[in-house]
Amino acid sequence: MGFLKSFFLGKEESPEEKKKRDDERDFDVLKTDGARALRMGQGEAAVRCLTKALEIKDDLEVRDYLSQAFIRCDRLVEAREQLQILAQAQPDNVQILIMMARVDYMREDYNAMADICEKAMLLDADNAEVLFLYARAAKGQHDLVNAVAMLTKSIMLNEHFGDAYLERGKILLQMGDVEGAAEDAAYLMEVASEVEDVLLLQAAVMEASGRLPEAIATYDKAIKVNPFSIAAFKGRGAARLALGDKEGAESDMRQLLELDPTALQHLSGEFKSQGRD
């Protein structure tokens, strides 16, 4: 029977060949299931499938998916480990370095972020996104002057780079350059006036300019966009208090404490005292 089976069906499959075929099938299933779980927002399920797939066979695409799954699960150290492997395999891939810099930003590791951005700039010195991320690293390192310079260059390379305008406006305001921040806020209000962060920047600029009623009205808009905006309630409460509206300030303080019970320890002065009455 064995002879006839071999004669009619061909050479009988060896155990090694069968294992290889089964492994390839299992790998494909795990990779497909992991990618599907990632698309559906099921981070932990994606991690399980993709990790098992890598146990069968090393595959760069699987490592890419796995890095994304780790990010979704807020497992940033593990995400960066996968990205490091990808970067070693594809040292000229700027997009991998950009993703590493983003992960470093989420980890608040600004030194590592700056190092990665420097490597990326060696590959593409005129990449607006790399410059933007490098500026964020510089800001994290408290080097605000260089951060502004890099953001300005990023905007020169991409005049519609809204995030770069927003970041620069915030830093300029932090540095006391209200006029410069107002210019960035004005541009953003022209193109994205319904975005919460844009409204918050505009309101902060108005507040710094002494235009408190306008600042309050803009904070109102930010709260309408996001009724849970901690920054908007905090800003509006401070502006209301500065205008002598203690009742309004107390109302915002209560809302703020509902959203963030730890907010009181970050406040100071008369506004803080309103929350204790």
Side-chain angles (χ1 to χ4, degrees), residues 165-189 198 201-202 204-206 208-209:
Y165 282 100
L166 181 63
E167 194 71 60
R168 188 175 67 177
K170 291 178 181 179
I171 295 174
L172 289 173
L173 194 59
Q174 184 179 342
M175 295 172 68
D177 184 356
V178 179
E179 184 177 349
E183 291 177 2
D184 284 338
Y187 167 78
L188 290 169
M189 287 296 291
V198 171
L201 175 61
Q202 175 75 339
V205 166
M206 290 175 170
S209 304

Side-chain angles (χ1 to χ4, degrees), residues 62-225:
V62 169
R63 290 191 181 278
D64 182 22
Y65 290 146
L66 184 55
S67 70
Q68 296 176 50
F70 279 137
I71 292 171
R72 183 175 290 276
C73 297
D74 199 30
R75 295 165 62 176
L76 301 179
V77 173
E78 293 162 291
R80 198 171 191 299
E81 289 171 354
Q82 294 301 320
L83 290 168
Q84 182 65 46
I85 294 171
L86 291 172
Q88 291 171 348
Q90 299 179 357
D92 296 330
N93 191 325
V94 175
Q95 291 304 313
I96 294 174
L97 298 179
I98 286 174
M99 186 56 67
M100 290 177 72
R102 289 175 180 167
V103 170
D104 287 335
Y105 180 72
M106 288 186 278
R107 295 171 60 217
E108 299 184 5
D109 189 342
Y110 303 116
N111 292 332
M113 185 181 182
D115 289 342
I116 288 298
C117 289
E118 288 176 3
K119 292 179 181 178
M121 288 187 67
L122 291 175
L123 297 173
D124 188 357
D126 293 327
N127 188 305
E129 189 168 6
V130 171
L131 284 161
F132 169 73
L133 291 168
Y134 204 175
R136 281 191 155 181
K139 179 184 177 183
Q141 295 172 318
H142 309 292
D143 187 356
L144 301 185
V145 173
N146 273 329
V148 169
M150 285 184 279
L151 288 167
T152 299
K153 185 175 180 181
S154 178
I155 291 168
M156 289 173 64
L157 292 166
N158 179 4
E159 62 179 340
H160 303 297
F161 199 162
D163 284 341
Y165 282 100
L166 181 63
E167 194 71 60
R168 188 175 67 177
K170 291 178 181 179
I171 295 174
L172 289 173
L173 194 59
Q174 184 179 342
M175 295 172 68
D177 184 356
V178 179
E179 184 177 349
E183 291 177 2
D184 284 338
Y187 167 78
L188 290 169
M189 287 296 291
E190 289 180 2
V191 299
S193 61
E194 298 301 316
V195 174
E196 178 189 354
D197 285 340
V198 171
L199 290 166
L200 290 174
L201 175 61
Q202 175 75 339
V205 166
M206 290 175 170
E207 193 172 351
S209 304
R211 298 154 59 190
L212 296 179
E214 293 173 78
I216 291 170
T218 306
Y219 282 126
D220 289 343
K221 293 178 182 178
I223 291 169
K224 185 176 181 180
V225 170

